[in-house]
Each structure stands twice: as structure tokens, then as C-alpha cells.
Amino acid sequence: MPTLLEISTHFFLQIVVVLVTYRLLWPLFRRLGQVQVVAVMIAGFLLGPSALGWAWPSAQEWLFPTKLAVGGTSIVHPNLTAIYVVGQIGLVLYMFLVGSSFQLDIFGKHLRQAGATSATGVAVPMVLGGVVGWWMAERGGFFTDGVATWQGALFLAAAVAVTAFPILAWIVYDSGLMNTRLGTMSLAVAAVDDACAWILLAVVVATAKDSPGGIYLAAGGGLAYALFMFLVARRWLARLPTWRPRGDAETAGGLPVGQLTVVLLVVLLAACCTDFIGIHSVLGAFIAGIVMPRGELLDRIRARFEPLVGYLLLPAFFIYTGLNTELSLILEPEVLLMTVVVLVVSFAGKFGAVGLVARSQGMGWREAGAMGALANARGLMELVLLNVGLSAGLITPELYTVLAIMTTVTTFVATPLQRMFERSAWKNGMVFGPDGEEPKAATAPRQPSRGPGAAVIG
């Protein structure tokens, strides 16, 4: 059993390798029109068994051990646990930063369009994914033996319907779309889609464990949490910018320690609460960010947290995911067939459905197309969902690999496709603004927004 010193020393080395790898990849991905988080995703896969493990198995197993033999029993290696925990902290803080920058005023102006688009963005992919999931469960080999066909259908429905909220936020910030109708509605649609997908996942996990109470806890607890945060916690937190504990003169990087402590407590308690009820910590942290009072205090918190989260904490999540992906399985004909089917269904269900309904709600075809492209990015949230399914014993490594490939492809395509529609608008004298497509003269040239990822891109 490694000592605590050996675990920490090895963990530091692992993080160094991850950071160096994705920084080496970034110049290539920047030329391909990608955002930096895609380079981080790919770095995670390259350092896992699919690439490094294939090229140099002994080095990969030494650098990123996943199992440890103790007295003839195999257990999870402590370093893998460390990577997982640090990655989860990164996810929670990142989603808080996203929520703290969410433009509620723009969202309020376009509530009807966002509602219709969200409903379609959930319903169509869920139906298509459910059909494919049922087919997979009937064929066998993709779900574990204890999973019924209807449970497999619900799991794949959730997997196809999900949108990568954190990665979408990164794309929106990097593209300077945060203060536009397109960016705000895309984030709103992603929030709704992800909430529905997590409720579906909670249903599958709860029924697979013969625990139907988990379904009611996820749905009812999620609603109660949201109502409490918006109706009660938001009023309490409104006093935070002017509140200072008696005798609190300490500052942490220019931030009063008392206020910073309250913010951290709220975020961590929110993450703990939503994890407990079964809808995942990232959504709890996002809502915590939304209800935080806007102003100088929140701006300073974001400025301090962004580099730490983007450079150090989030990469740990991607390497954890990469260690669970075995791309060599794609060589099996059955897995390859399912990969193609899932890719087609996933792309059509998100890009097609969201784009068409956005157009029917009054968006120009270029803005609607860009919104469909953004909704098709699945990245982080899909990978989180896959890890939950794998750890809960619902899916096999084959299905994990199929969905990991789908995640990578749809996320990789999202940014270039969105920018293609934006360039088309620009050539026709239009830009995406707070009220949709607007003439260039009516909207000041956009600069990339300050927000999660802005400090760690480029």
C-alpha cells in the first residue's frame, strides 16, 4: 500500500503530465477552430489505455495506475481516487462560475422561445435515443445483465438528450456570445436538457437498485432545492456584498475572508445537496452561481478562481474519464455499427431538432443553425453521465466507448459549425446580439467575455 507521501508525489507528477500534454496539443486544436477544453478532453483520452496504454503499456500503468492488489484482492488505487475527487471539485467550481455569469435579463426577454426550444431539445433526442437504447438492450453486450430493456432505453435517451453545459459555457465565452440571445438561450436550453437527463438517469439507477424512492427524491428534491435557492437563499445572499463579520479585516487576494467563506460554503453545500438527491453536484453549483448577487464582489471572485479551475482542477476530470475509455473496442464490428447509429441519432436529434424549432420561434436561419450546433456539444456532462452509468454497473465498456466517441465527435464539430453560421451572418452585414441577428452598425464589436474559461483560453 503506497504511503501518503508517495500518493501525493505521484499525483503531482500526474497533473504535470496532463498539463504539459494538453498545452502541447492546444496550438493544433486552435488552428482547427476549437476551444482549449477540447484539447484537454483529447489529452485525457491520449493518456489513457487507448493511446499511451497501447503504445507503452508499462509506462501508462505506472503513471496512471487504476487498481492496487492488497492481500490478493484488487482495490481502486488511491491515486485514481485523488484524481476523481480533484476533478469533481473542478467541475463544481466551474459550474458555479458559469452560473454566476448567466445573463438572467436576456433570458427573461426570450423565455417563450427558450421554453419551446428546450422542450424540443429534450423530447426529440430522448425518443430517438430511447429507441436505439431499447434495440441495444435487446441485442445484448452493451448493458449489464441486470438492466431491463426499458432501463436501457431510458439510459440511452438521457445520453443522447444531454448537452455539455460546462463545455457549452466555455464555447460561449470564448466566442464572445455571453451577452447575446444565442449564447444565453443556448445555456438555458442546456440547463433544462441536463436536468431532465439527470432525472432520467436517477430513474434508471434507482430502479436498477430496486430503490424507487430515489426517483421521487430526485424529482421532488430537485424542485424543492430550486425553489429554496431562488425564493429564500437569493434574498439572504443579496446582503452579502455589504456584509462583513465583526472584526474581519483579513483579505485573501483582495477578497474579504468572511464573504469568500460564505460563497464557498454555499457552493459546496449546494453541490452536496444535489448529489444527495441524485441530480448531480454540477447543477446545484450552477444554480448557486445564478442566485449570487451581481457586482464587484462576484467579479473579483471569478477573476481569482478562473485560472485555478481551468488550469489545474478540470484537467483531472478529463484524465479520469480517459482512463475508463478503451478505443480499441471500436474495432469490433458490433461496436462500430452501434457507434455509427448513435452518432447519426445524436446529431440529428440535437442539431436538427433544436435548429428547426429555434427557426420556428422567430430566429433567423443562421442564428437557429448556430444554436443547433451549440446544443450538439455533449462533452463534460456526457462524460459525467457515462462515469455514473459505469460505476453503477449499468453499462459495459463497449457502450462506454461508443458514447465516449460520440461525445468527442459531437463536441469537436460544435464550435466550427457554430462559427460557420456566424461567419455567414457577418458576410451578410449581421451579427448575433442581445435581440438576435442585428446589423453590424447596431451592435458594438464583441470581445470575448470575461468568465469561466476566458482566463485560460489562448
Side-chain angles (χ1 to χ4, degrees), residues 175-176 179-180 422 426 431-432 439-449:
S175 303
N179 295 314
T180 67
E422 191 166 19
W426 181 264
V431 295
F432 298 146
K440 291 179 186 178
T443 306
R446 285 200 317 272
Q447 298 296 326
S449 304

Side-chain angles (χ1 to χ4, degrees), residues 397-417:
E398 286 78 5
L399 182 54
Y400 188 100
T401 299
V402 167
L403 294 177
I405 293 172
M406 179 270 286
T407 301
T408 304
V409 172
T410 55
T411 305
F412 192 89
V413 169
T415 304
L417 194 57

Side-chain angles (χ1 to χ4, degrees), residues 232-244 259 293 297:
V232 179
R234 191 175 186 182
R235 293 183 180 179
W236 290 347
L237 293 170
R239 298 192 292 268
L240 183 61
T242 58
W243 173 79
R244 291 288 291 272
Q259 293 170 312
L297 175 64

Side-chain angles (χ1 to χ4, degrees), residues 62-350:
W62 175 83
L63 185 58
F64 296 104
T66 58
K67 298 292 183 182
L68 181 67
V70 179
T73 303
S74 181
I75 64 172
V76 176
H77 197 283
N79 273 100
L80 184 63
T81 303
I83 289 174
Y84 175 80
V85 172
V86 171
Q88 291 302 304
I89 294 173
L91 279 175
V92 166
L93 291 178
Y94 185 77
M95 288 308 298
F96 163 72
L97 295 174
V98 172
S100 68
S101 299
F102 192 74
Q103 301 296 316
L104 290 171
D105 54 341
I106 298 178
F107 176 66
K109 291 181 182 178
H110 308 289
L111 187 60
R112 179 181 61 82
Q113 296 97 321
T117 309
S118 298
T120 306
V122 170
V124 174
M126 279 186 177
V127 171
L128 295 177
V131 171
V132 175
W134 190 285
W135 180 44
M136 281 185 170
E138 289 282 357
R139 292 174 71 95
F142 295 94
F143 294 95
T144 55
D145 293 337
V147 176
T149 51
W150 67 269
Q151 292 170 326
L154 287 184
F155 181 87
L156 206 72
V160 173
V162 78
T163 294
F165 200 106
I167 286 186
L168 177 59
W170 205 319
I171 294 172
V172 167
Y173 283 120
D174 189 38
S175 303
L177 295 170
M178 194 60 207
N179 295 314
T180 67
R181 178 174 71 174
L182 171 63
T184 302
M185 286 185 59
S186 296
L187 290 175
V189 168
V192 174
D193 290 2
D194 285 356
C196 293
W198 281 110
I199 291 173
L200 270 188
L201 181 63
V203 171
V204 177
V205 172
T207 54
K209 295 180 177 179
D210 294 323
S211 177
I215 304 172
Y216 303 111
L217 181 62
L223 178 60
Y225 168 79
L227 291 175
F228 174 80
M229 293 297 288
F230 282 104
L231 299 180
V232 179
R234 191 175 186 182
R235 293 183 180 179
W236 290 347
L237 293 170
R239 298 192 292 268
L240 183 61
T242 58
W243 173 79
R244 291 288 291 272
R246 185 174 300 175
D248 183 14
E250 296 181 73
T251 62
L255 292 170
V257 172
Q259 293 170 312
L260 179 60
T261 302
V262 170
V263 171
L264 290 174
L265 286 173
V266 170
V267 175
L268 295 176
L269 284 172
C272 181
C273 176
T274 48
D275 251 344
F276 174 76
I277 62 180
I279 57 173
H280 207 273
S281 55
V282 293
L283 293 176
F286 171 68
I287 293 178
I290 288 181
V291 301
M292 283 289 167
R294 271 46 176 171
E296 182 183 357
L297 175 64
L298 197 58
D299 291 340
R300 286 156 63 192
I301 289 175
R302 286 202 304 265
R304 299 296 189 279
F305 279 29
E306 286 163 9
L308 174 67
V309 172
Y311 278 124
L312 181 62
L313 302 180
L314 270 184
F317 173 79
F318 287 107
I319 188 62
Y320 179 83
T321 300
L323 294 175
N324 287 316
T325 305
E326 299 179 42
L327 295 181
S328 60
L329 293 174
I330 195 66
L331 300 178
E332 299 178 11
E334 182 84 355
V335 176
L336 181 59
L337 170 64
M338 288 303 177
T339 302
V340 173
V341 172
V342 169
L343 271 172
V344 171
V345 167
S346 300
F347 193 86
K350 276 291 185 179

